[in-house]
Amino acid sequence: QVQLVESGGGLVQAGGSLRLSCAASGLTFSRYGMGWFRQVPGKEREFVAAISLNGGRTEYTESVKGRFTISRDNAKNTVYLQMNSLKPEDTAVYYCAARFIGLGEYTYWGQGTQVTVSS
């Protein structure tokens, strides 16, 4: 059974850093493109970052470019989101997601981890 489990969220001050992890099981991890999304109550889920099957390509939403880095370790079935220079606007629940061979919509989702940035 496919399961994605996020960890690493918490409360940090503006300018600080966090590293989120997403551990995947129940799938052939290297066959899935991975992504990070975030959501604030009352707002639509927002794309944050994505990474290709072997990590060769990455994509970021404009607001996090230069501050966030997505990476993956296929040997550990884990995708990461390193978040630096955090801003209060980054406060959200962060979700990881998977899509087969990087095609179409993301089909598997984690439960999310809360990130809160204070000013």
Side-chain angles (χ1 to χ4, degrees), residues 8-99:
L11 174 64
V12 297
Q13 292 184 325
S17 298
L18 284 174
R19 188 180 75 159
L20 306 183
S21 299
C22 174
S25 60
L27 50 70
T28 303
F29 185 69
S30 63
R31 294 287 83 194
Y32 286 81
M34 301 297 297
W36 286 96
F37 295 76
R38 63 189 181 187
Q39 188 169 26
V40 177
K43 296 181 64 178
E44 291 290 318
R45 185 172 57 203
E46 176 190 20
F47 169 79
V48 177
I51 189 166
S52 61
L53 276 58
N54 64 0
R57 292 185 177 183
T58 58
E59 180 183 354
Y60 301 91
T61 192
E62 186 66 28
S63 64
V64 308
K65 287 181 179 177
R67 300 188 299 119
F68 290 12
T69 303
I70 188 171
S71 62
R72 66 190 295 162
D73 186 339
N74 285 354
K76 296 181 178 179
N77 285 9
T78 302
V79 62
Y80 305 94
L81 185 68
Q82 177 67 47
M83 305 185 294
N84 298 327
S85 301
L86 282 162
K87 304 175 181 180
E89 304 95 288
D90 297 317
T91 295
V93 176
Y94 283 71
Y95 300 89
C96 68
R99 58 180 179 176

Coordinates of all heavy atoms in Angstrom, one line a residue, residues 8-99:
G8 N 9.5 16.9 9.8 CA 10.4 18.0 9.8 C 9.8 19.4 10.0 O 10.6 20.4 10.1
G9 N 8.5 19.5 10.0 CA 7.9 20.8 10.2 C 8.1 21.2 11.7 O 8.5 20.5 12.5
G10 N 7.7 22.5 11.9 CA 7.8 23.1 13.2 C 7.7 24.6 13.2 O 7.3 25.2 12.2
L11 N 8.0 25.2 14.3 CA 7.9 26.6 14.5 C 9.3 27.2 14.4 O 10.2 26.8 15.2 CB 7.3 27.0 15.8 CG 7.3 28.4 16.2 CD1 6.4 29.2 15.3 CD2 6.7 28.5 17.7
V12 N 9.5 28.2 13.5 CA 10.8 28.8 13.4 C 10.6 30.3 13.2 O 9.6 30.8 12.9 CB 11.6 28.3 12.2 CG1 12.0 26.8 12.3 CG2 10.9 28.6 10.9
Q13 N 11.7 31.1 13.6 CA 11.6 32.5 13.4 C 12.0 32.9 11.9 O 12.6 32.1 11.2 CB 12.6 33.2 14.3 CG 12.3 33.1 15.8 CD 13.2 33.9 16.7 OE1 14.4 34.0 16.4 NE2 12.7 34.5 17.7
A14 N 11.5 34.0 11.5 CA 11.8 34.5 10.2 C 13.3 34.5 10.0 O 14.1 35.0 10.9 CB 11.2 35.9 9.9
G15 N 13.8 34.1 8.8 CA 15.2 34.0 8.5 C 15.8 32.7 8.8 O 16.9 32.4 8.4
G16 N 15.1 31.8 9.5 CA 15.5 30.5 9.9 C 15.4 29.5 8.8 O 14.9 29.8 7.7
S17 N 15.7 28.3 9.1 CA 15.7 27.2 8.2 C 15.0 25.9 8.7 O 15.0 25.7 10.0 CB 17.1 26.8 7.7 OG 17.8 27.9 7.1
L18 N 14.4 25.2 7.9 CA 13.9 23.8 8.2 C 14.2 22.9 7.0 O 14.2 23.4 5.9 CB 12.4 23.9 8.4 CG 11.8 24.4 9.7 CD1 10.3 24.5 9.7 CD2 12.3 23.6 10.9
R19 N 14.3 21.6 7.3 CA 14.3 20.6 6.2 C 13.2 19.7 6.4 O 13.1 19.0 7.4 CB 15.7 19.9 6.2 CG 15.8 19.0 5.0 CD 17.1 18.2 4.9 NE 17.1 17.1 5.9 CZ 17.9 16.0 5.7 NH1 18.8 16.0 4.7 NH2 17.9 15.1 6.7
L20 N 12.3 19.6 5.4 CA 11.2 18.7 5.4 C 11.7 17.4 4.7 O 12.4 17.4 3.8 CB 10.0 19.2 4.7 CG 9.5 20.6 5.2 CD1 8.2 20.9 4.4 CD2 9.2 20.6 6.7
S21 N 11.2 16.2 5.2 CA 11.4 15.0 4.6 C 10.1 14.3 4.3 O 9.1 14.5 5.0 CB 12.2 14.0 5.6 OG 13.5 14.6 5.9
C22 N 10.1 13.5 3.2 CA 8.9 12.7 2.9 C 9.4 11.3 2.6 O 10.1 11.1 1.6 CB 8.2 13.3 1.7 SG 6.8 12.3 1.0
A23 N 9.0 10.4 3.4 CA 9.4 9.0 3.2 C 8.3 8.2 2.5 O 7.1 8.3 2.9 CB 9.7 8.3 4.6
A24 N 8.6 7.6 1.4 CA 7.6 6.9 0.6 C 7.8 5.3 0.7 O 8.9 4.8 0.9 CB 7.8 7.2 -0.9
S25 N 6.7 4.7 0.7 CA 6.7 3.2 0.7 C 5.5 2.7 -0.1 O 4.6 3.4 -0.4 CB 6.6 2.7 2.2 OG 5.4 3.1 2.8
G26 N 5.6 1.4 -0.5 CA 4.6 0.8 -1.3 C 4.6 1.1 -2.8 O 3.6 0.8 -3.5
L27 N 5.6 1.8 -3.3 CA 5.8 2.1 -4.7 C 7.2 2.0 -5.1 O 8.1 2.0 -4.2 CB 5.2 3.4 -5.0 CG 5.6 4.6 -4.2 CD1 7.0 5.0 -4.4 CD2 4.7 5.8 -4.5
T28 N 7.4 1.9 -6.4 CA 8.8 1.9 -6.9 C 9.2 3.3 -7.0 O 8.9 4.0 -8.0 CB 8.9 1.2 -8.3 OG1 8.4 -0.1 -8.2 CG2 10.3 1.2 -8.8
F29 N 9.9 3.8 -6.0 CA 10.1 5.2 -5.8 C 10.7 5.9 -7.0 O 10.4 7.0 -7.4 CB 10.9 5.4 -4.5 CG 11.1 6.9 -4.2 CD1 10.0 7.7 -3.7 CD2 12.4 7.5 -4.2 CE1 10.2 9.0 -3.4 CE2 12.6 8.8 -3.9 CZ 11.5 9.5 -3.4
S30 N 11.7 5.2 -7.6 CA 12.5 5.8 -8.7 C 11.7 6.0 -10.0 O 12.1 6.6 -10.9 CB 13.7 5.0 -9.0 OG 13.4 3.7 -9.4
R31 N 10.5 5.5 -10.0 CA 9.6 5.6 -11.2 C 8.6 6.7 -11.0 O 7.7 6.9 -11.8 CB 8.8 4.3 -11.4 CG 9.7 3.1 -11.8 CD 10.1 3.3 -13.3 NE 11.3 4.1 -13.4 CZ 11.8 4.7 -14.5 NH1 11.2 4.4 -15.6 NH2 12.9 5.4 -14.5
Y32 N 8.7 7.5 -9.9 CA 7.8 8.6 -9.6 C 8.5 9.9 -9.5 O 9.5 10.1 -8.8 CB 7.0 8.3 -8.3 CG 6.0 7.2 -8.5 CD1 6.3 5.9 -8.4 CD2 4.6 7.5 -8.7 CE1 5.4 4.9 -8.6 CE2 3.7 6.5 -8.8 CZ 4.1 5.2 -8.8 OH 3.1 4.2 -8.9
G33 N 7.9 10.9 -10.2 CA 8.3 12.3 -10.0 C 7.7 12.7 -8.6 O 6.6 12.2 -8.3
M34 N 8.3 13.5 -7.9 CA 7.9 13.9 -6.6 C 7.7 15.5 -6.5 O 8.4 16.2 -7.2 CB 8.9 13.5 -5.5 CG 9.1 12.0 -5.5 SD 7.6 11.1 -5.0 CE 7.3 11.7 -3.4
G35 N 6.8 15.9 -5.7 CA 6.5 17.3 -5.6 C 6.2 17.7 -4.1 O 5.8 16.8 -3.3
W36 N 6.4 19.0 -3.9 CA 5.9 19.5 -2.6 C 4.9 20.6 -2.9 O 5.1 21.4 -3.8 CB 7.1 20.2 -1.8 CG 8.0 19.2 -1.2 CD1 9.2 18.7 -1.7 CD2 7.9 18.6 0.1 NE1 9.8 17.8 -0.8 CE2 9.0 17.7 0.3 CE3 6.9 18.6 1.1 CZ2 9.1 17.0 1.4 CZ3 7.0 17.9 2.2 CH2 8.1 17.1 2.4
F37 N 3.9 20.6 -2.1 CA 2.8 21.6 -2.1 C 2.6 22.2 -0.7 O 3.0 21.6 0.2 CB 1.5 21.0 -2.7 CG 1.6 20.5 -4.1 CD1 2.3 19.3 -4.4 CD2 1.0 21.2 -5.1 CE1 2.3 18.9 -5.7 CE2 1.1 20.8 -6.4 CZ 1.7 19.6 -6.7
R38 N 1.9 23.3 -0.7 CA 1.5 23.8 0.6 C 0.1 24.4 0.6 O -0.4 24.8 -0.5 CB 2.5 24.9 1.1 CG 2.6 26.1 0.2 CD 3.8 27.0 0.6 NE 4.0 28.2 -0.2 CZ 5.0 29.0 -0.1 NH1 6.0 28.8 0.8 NH2 5.0 30.1 -0.9
Q39 N -0.5 24.5 1.7 CA -1.8 25.0 1.8 C -2.1 25.8 3.1 O -1.7 25.3 4.2 CB -2.9 23.9 1.7 CG -4.3 24.3 1.6 CD -5.2 23.2 1.2 OE1 -4.9 22.0 1.4 NE2 -6.3 23.5 0.5
V40 N -2.7 26.9 3.0 CA -3.1 27.7 4.1 C -4.7 27.6 4.3 O -5.4 27.5 3.2 CB -2.8 29.2 3.9 CG1 -3.3 30.1 5.1 CG2 -1.2 29.3 3.8
P41 N -5.2 27.5 5.5 CA -6.6 27.4 5.6 C -7.4 28.5 4.8 O -7.0 29.7 4.9 CB -6.9 27.6 7.1 CG -5.6 27.0 7.7 CD -4.5 27.5 6.8
G42 N -8.4 28.1 4.1 CA -9.2 29.0 3.3 C -8.6 29.3 1.9 O -9.2 30.1 1.2
K43 N -7.5 28.8 1.6 CA -6.8 29.0 0.3 C -6.6 27.7 -0.4 O -6.6 26.6 0.1 CB -5.5 29.8 0.5 CG -5.6 31.1 1.1 CD -4.2 31.8 1.2 CE -3.6 32.1 -0.1 NZ -2.3 32.8 0.0
E44 N -6.4 27.9 -1.7 CA -6.1 26.7 -2.6 C -4.8 26.2 -2.3 O -3.8 26.9 -1.9 CB -6.3 27.1 -4.1 CG -7.7 27.4 -4.5 CD -8.5 26.2 -4.5 OE1 -8.1 25.1 -5.0 OE2 -9.7 26.3 -4.1
R45 N -4.6 24.9 -2.5 CA -3.3 24.2 -2.4 C -2.4 24.8 -3.5 O -2.8 25.0 -4.6 CB -3.4 22.7 -2.6 CG -2.2 21.9 -2.4 CD -2.5 20.5 -2.4 NE -3.1 20.1 -3.7 CZ -3.9 19.0 -3.8 NH1 -4.2 18.2 -2.8 NH2 -4.5 18.7 -5.0
E46 N -1.1 25.1 -3.1 CA -0.2 25.8 -4.0 C 1.0 24.9 -4.3 O 1.6 24.3 -3.4 CB 0.3 27.1 -3.3 CG 1.4 27.8 -4.1 CD 2.0 29.0 -3.3 OE1 1.9 28.9 -2.0 OE2 2.6 29.9 -3.9
F47 N 1.4 24.8 -5.5 CA 2.6 24.1 -5.9 C 3.8 24.9 -5.4 O 3.9 26.1 -5.4 CB 2.7 24.0 -7.4 CG 4.0 23.6 -7.9 CD1 4.4 22.2 -7.9 CD2 5.0 24.5 -8.4 CE1 5.6 21.8 -8.3 CE2 6.2 24.0 -8.9 CZ 6.5 22.7 -8.8
V48 N 4.8 24.1 -4.8 CA 6.0 24.7 -4.3 C 7.2 24.2 -5.1 O 8.0 25.1 -5.6 CB 6.2 24.3 -2.8 CG1 7.6 24.8 -2.3 CG2 5.1 24.8 -2.0
A49 N 7.4 22.9 -5.3 CA 8.6 22.4 -6.0 C 8.4 21.0 -6.5 O 7.5 20.3 -6.0 CB 9.8 22.4 -5.0
A50 N 9.1 20.6 -7.5 CA 9.0 19.3 -8.1 C 10.4 18.8 -8.5 O 11.3 19.6 -8.8 CB 8.1 19.3 -9.3
I51 N 10.6 17.5 -8.5 CA 11.8 16.9 -8.9 C 11.6 15.7 -9.8 O 10.6 14.9 -9.5 CB 12.7 16.6 -7.7 CG1 14.1 16.2 -8.1 CG2 12.0 15.5 -6.8 CD1 15.1 16.2 -6.9
S52 N 12.4 15.5 -10.8 CA 12.3 14.4 -11.7 C 12.7 13.1 -11.1 O 13.2 13.0 -10.0 CB 13.0 14.7 -13.0 OG 14.4 14.8 -12.7
L53 N 12.5 12.0 -11.9 CA 12.7 10.6 -11.3 C 14.1 10.4 -10.7 O 14.2 9.8 -9.7 CB 12.5 9.6 -12.4 CG 11.0 9.2 -12.7 CD1 10.1 10.4 -13.1 CD2 11.0 8.1 -13.8
N54 N 15.1 10.9 -11.4 CA 16.5 10.7 -10.9 C 17.1 12.0 -10.3 O 18.3 12.0 -10.0 CB 17.4 10.2 -12.0 CG 17.5 11.2 -13.1 OD1 17.0 12.2 -13.1 ND2 18.3 10.7 -14.1
G55 N 16.3 13.0 -10.1 CA 16.8 14.3 -9.5 C 17.4 15.2 -10.5 O 17.9 16.2 -10.1
G56 N 17.4 14.9 -11.8 CA 18.1 15.7 -12.8 C 17.5 17.0 -13.1 O 18.1 17.9 -13.6
R57 N 16.2 17.1 -12.9 CA 15.5 18.3 -13.1 C 14.7 18.7 -11.9 O 14.1 17.9 -11.2 CB 14.5 18.2 -14.3 CG 15.2 18.0 -15.6 CD 14.2 18.0 -16.8 NE 14.8 17.9 -18.1 CZ 14.1 17.9 -19.2 NH1 12.8 18.0 -19.2 NH2 14.8 17.8 -20.4
T58 N 14.6 20.0 -11.6 CA 13.8 20.6 -10.5 C 13.0 21.8 -11.0 O 13.4 22.4 -12.0 CB 14.7 21.0 -9.3 OG1 15.7 21.9 -9.7 CG2 15.4 19.8 -8.7
E59 N 12.0 22.1 -10.3 CA 11.1 23.2 -10.7 C 10.6 23.8 -9.4 O 10.3 23.1 -8.4 CB 9.9 22.7 -11.5 CG 9.0 23.8 -11.9 CD 7.8 23.2 -12.7 OE1 7.8 22.0 -13.0 OE2 6.9 24.0 -13.0
Y60 N 10.5 25.1 -9.4 CA 10.1 25.9 -8.2 C 9.1 26.9 -8.5 O 9.2 27.5 -9.6 CB 11.3 26.5 -7.5 CG 12.3 25.6 -7.0 CD1 13.4 25.3 -7.9 CD2 12.3 25.0 -5.8 CE1 14.4 24.4 -7.5 CE2 13.3 24.1 -5.4 CZ 14.3 23.8 -6.2 OH 15.3 23.0 -5.8
T61 N 8.2 27.2 -7.6 CA 7.4 28.4 -7.8 C 8.2 29.6 -7.5 O 9.2 29.6 -6.7 CB 6.1 28.3 -6.8 OG1 5.2 29.4 -7.1 CG2 6.6 28.5 -5.4
E62 N 7.9 30.7 -8.1 CA 8.7 31.9 -8.1 C 9.0 32.4 -6.7 O 10.2 32.8 -6.4 CB 8.1 33.0 -9.0 CG 9.0 34.2 -9.1 CD 10.2 34.0 -9.9 OE1 10.2 33.1 -10.8 OE2 11.2 34.7 -9.7
S63 N 8.1 32.3 -5.8 CA 8.3 32.9 -4.5 C 9.3 32.2 -3.6 O 9.7 32.8 -2.6 CB 6.9 32.9 -3.8 OG 6.4 31.6 -3.5
V64 N 9.7 31.0 -4.0 CA 10.7 30.2 -3.2 C 12.0 30.1 -3.9 O 12.9 29.5 -3.3 CB 10.1 28.9 -2.7 CG1 8.7 29.0 -2.1 CG2 10.1 27.9 -3.9
K65 N 12.1 30.5 -5.1 CA 13.4 30.3 -5.9 C 14.5 31.0 -5.1 O 14.4 32.2 -4.7 CB 13.2 30.9 -7.3 CG 12.4 30.0 -8.2 CD 12.3 30.6 -9.6 CE 11.5 29.7 -10.5 NZ 11.4 30.3 -11.9
G66 N 15.6 30.3 -5.0 CA 16.8 30.8 -4.3 C 16.8 30.6 -2.8 O 17.8 30.8 -2.2
R67 N 15.6 30.2 -2.3 CA 15.5 29.9 -0.8 C 15.3 28.4 -0.5 O 15.8 27.9 0.5 CB 14.4 30.8 -0.2 CG 14.6 32.3 -0.4 CD 13.5 33.0 0.4 NE 12.1 32.7 -0.1 CZ 11.2 32.2 0.7 NH1 11.5 31.9 2.0 NH2 10.0 32.0 0.2
F68 N 14.5 27.8 -1.4 CA 14.1 26.4 -1.1 C 14.9 25.5 -2.1 O 15.1 25.9 -3.3 CB 12.6 26.1 -1.3 CG 11.7 26.7 -0.3 CD1 12.2 27.6 0.6 CD2 10.4 26.4 -0.2 CE1 11.4 28.2 1.6 CE2 9.6 26.9 0.7 CZ 10.0 27.8 1.6
T69 N 15.2 24.3 -1.7 CA 15.9 23.3 -2.6 C 15.2 22.0 -2.4 O 15.1 21.4 -1.3 CB 17.4 23.2 -2.3 OG1 18.0 24.4 -2.4 CG2 18.0 22.2 -3.2
I70 N 14.7 21.4 -3.5 CA 14.1 20.0 -3.4 C 15.2 19.0 -3.9 O 16.0 19.3 -4.8 CB 12.9 19.9 -4.3 CG1 12.2 18.6 -4.1 CG2 13.2 20.2 -5.8 CD1 10.8 18.5 -4.8
S71 N 15.3 17.9 -3.2 CA 16.2 16.9 -3.6 C 15.6 15.5 -3.2 O 14.6 15.4 -2.6 CB 17.5 17.0 -2.8 OG 17.3 17.0 -1.4
R72 N 16.2 14.5 -3.7 CA 15.7 13.1 -3.5 C 16.9 12.1 -3.3 O 17.9 12.3 -3.9 CB 14.7 12.6 -4.5 CG 15.3 12.4 -5.9 CD 14.3 12.2 -7.0 NE 13.5 11.0 -6.7 CZ 12.3 10.7 -7.2 NH1 11.7 11.6 -8.0 NH2 11.7 9.5 -7.0
D73 N 16.6 11.1 -2.5 CA 17.6 10.0 -2.3 C 16.8 8.7 -2.7 O 16.0 8.2 -1.8 CB 18.1 10.0 -0.9 CG 19.2 9.0 -0.7 OD1 19.3 8.0 -1.5 OD2 20.0 9.1 0.2
N74 N 17.0 8.2 -3.9 CA 16.2 7.1 -4.3 C 16.5 5.8 -3.5 O 15.7 4.9 -3.3 CB 16.3 6.8 -5.8 CG 15.6 7.8 -6.6 OD1 14.8 8.6 -6.1 ND2 15.8 7.8 -7.9
A75 N 17.8 5.7 -3.0 CA 18.1 4.6 -2.2 C 17.4 4.6 -0.8 O 17.2 3.5 -0.3 CB 19.7 4.6 -1.9
K76 N 17.0 5.8 -0.4 CA 16.2 5.9 0.9 C 14.7 6.1 0.7 O 14.0 6.2 1.6 CB 16.8 7.0 1.7 CG 18.2 6.8 2.2 CD 18.7 7.9 3.0 CE 20.2 7.7 3.5 NZ 20.7 8.8 4.3
N77 N 14.3 6.1 -0.6 CA 12.9 6.4 -0.9 C 12.4 7.6 -0.2 O 11.3 7.7 0.3 CB 12.0 5.2 -0.5 CG 12.2 4.0 -1.4 OD1 13.0 4.0 -2.3 ND2 11.3 3.0 -1.2
T78 N 13.2 8.7 -0.3 CA 12.9 9.9 0.4 C 13.1 11.1 -0.4 O 14.1 11.2 -1.2 CB 13.7 10.0 1.7 OG1 13.5 8.9 2.6 CG2 13.4 11.3 2.5
V79 N 12.2 12.1 -0.3 CA 12.4 13.4 -1.0 C 12.4 14.4 0.1 O 11.8 14.3 1.2 CB 11.2 13.7 -2.0 CG1 9.9 13.7 -1.3 CG2 11.5 14.9 -2.8
Y80 N 13.2 15.5 -0.1 CA 13.5 16.5 0.9 C 13.1 17.9 0.3 O 13.1 18.1 -0.9 CB 14.9 16.5 1.3 CG 15.5 15.2 1.8 CD1 16.1 14.4 0.9 CD2 15.4 14.8 3.1 CE1 16.6 13.1 1.3 CE2 15.9 13.6 3.5 CZ 16.5 12.8 2.7 OH 17.0 11.6 3.1
L81 N 12.8 18.8 1.2 CA 12.7 20.2 0.9 C 13.4 21.0 1.9 O 13.0 21.1 3.1 CB 11.2 20.6 0.9 CG 10.9 22.0 0.4 CD1 11.3 22.2 -1.1 CD2 9.5 22.5 0.7
Q82 N 14.6 21.5 1.5 CA 15.4 22.4 2.4 C 14.9 23.8 2.2 O 14.8 24.3 1.1 CB 16.9 22.3 2.0 CG 17.8 23.2 2.8 CD 17.9 22.8 4.2 OE1 18.1 21.7 4.5 NE2 17.7 23.8 5.1
M83 N 14.5 24.4 3.3 CA 13.9 25.7 3.3 C 14.8 26.7 4.1 O 14.9 26.5 5.3 CB 12.5 25.7 3.9 CG 11.5 24.7 3.2 SD 9.8 24.8 3.8 CE 10.1 24.2 5.5
N84 N 15.3 27.6 3.4 CA 16.2 28.6 4.1 C 15.5 30.0 3.9 O 14.6 30.2 3.1 CB 17.6 28.7 3.4 CG 18.3 27.4 3.5 OD1 18.2 26.7 4.5 ND2 19.1 27.0 2.5
S85 N 16.0 30.9 4.8 CA 15.5 32.3 4.7 C 14.0 32.4 4.8 O 13.4 33.1 4.0 CB 16.0 33.0 3.5 OG 17.5 33.1 3.4
L86 N 13.5 31.6 5.7 CA 12.0 31.5 5.8 C 11.3 32.8 6.1 O 11.9 33.6 6.9 CB 11.6 30.4 6.8 CG 11.8 29.0 6.3 CD1 11.8 28.0 7.5 CD2 10.7 28.6 5.4
K87 N 10.2 33.0 5.6 CA 9.4 34.2 5.8 C 8.0 33.8 6.4 O 7.6 32.7 6.2 CB 9.1 34.9 4.4 CG 10.4 35.3 3.7 CD 10.0 35.8 2.3 CE 11.3 36.2 1.5 NZ 10.9 36.7 0.2
P88 N 7.4 34.7 7.1 CA 6.0 34.4 7.6 C 5.1 34.0 6.5 O 4.2 33.1 6.8 CB 5.6 35.8 8.2 CG 6.9 36.4 8.6 CD 7.9 36.0 7.5
E89 N 5.2 34.4 5.3 CA 4.4 34.0 4.2 C 4.5 32.6 3.8 O 3.7 32.0 3.1 CB 4.7 34.9 3.0 CG 4.5 36.4 3.2 CD 5.8 37.1 3.5 OE1 6.3 36.8 4.7 OE2 6.3 37.8 2.7
D90 N 5.6 31.9 4.3 CA 5.8 30.5 4.0 C 5.0 29.6 5.0 O 5.0 28.4 4.8 CB 7.3 30.1 4.2 CG 8.2 30.8 3.2 OD1 7.7 30.9 2.0 OD2 9.2 31.3 3.5
T91 N 4.4 30.2 6.0 CA 3.6 29.4 6.9 C 2.4 28.7 6.2 O 1.7 29.3 5.5 CB 3.0 30.3 8.0 OG1 4.1 30.9 8.8 CG2 2.1 29.6 8.9
A92 N 2.4 27.4 6.4 CA 1.4 26.6 5.7 C 1.6 25.1 6.2 O 2.5 24.8 6.8 CB 1.5 26.6 4.2
V93 N 0.6 24.3 5.8 CA 0.8 22.8 5.9 C 1.5 22.4 4.6 O 1.0 22.7 3.5 CB -0.5 22.1 6.1 CG1 -0.3 20.6 6.1 CG2 -1.1 22.5 7.4
Y94 N 2.6 21.7 4.7 CA 3.3 21.2 3.5 C 3.1 19.8 3.2 O 3.1 18.9 4.2 CB 4.8 21.5 3.7 CG 5.2 22.9 3.5 CD1 4.8 23.9 4.5 CD2 5.9 23.3 2.4 CE1 5.2 25.2 4.3 CE2 6.3 24.7 2.2 CZ 5.9 25.6 3.2 OH 6.2 26.9 3.0
Y95 N 2.7 19.5 2.0 CA 2.4 18.1 1.6 C 3.4 17.6 0.5 O 3.8 18.4 -0.4 CB 1.0 18.0 1.0 CG -0.1 18.4 1.9 CD1 -0.5 19.8 1.9 CD2 -0.8 17.5 2.6 CE1 -1.5 20.2 2.8 CE2 -1.8 17.9 3.5 CZ -2.2 19.2 3.5 OH -3.2 19.6 4.3
C96 N 3.8 16.4 0.6 CA 4.5 15.8 -0.6 C 3.6 14.9 -1.4 O 2.5 14.5 -0.9 CB 5.7 15.0 -0.1 SG 5.3 13.4 0.8
A97 N 3.9 14.7 -2.7 CA 3.0 14.0 -3.6 C 3.9 13.3 -4.6 O 5.0 13.7 -4.9 CB 2.1 15.0 -4.3
A98 N 3.3 12.3 -5.2 CA 4.0 11.5 -6.2 C 3.1 11.3 -7.5 O 1.9 11.2 -7.4 CB 4.3 10.1 -5.6
R99 N 3.8 11.3 -8.6 CA 3.1 11.0 -9.9 C 4.0 10.0 -10.7 O 5.2 10.2 -10.8 CB 2.8 12.3 -10.7 CG 4.0 13.1 -11.0 CD 3.5 14.4 -11.8 NE 4.6 15.3 -12.1 CZ 4.5 16.4 -12.8 NH1 3.3 16.7 -13.3 NH2 5.6 17.1 -13.1

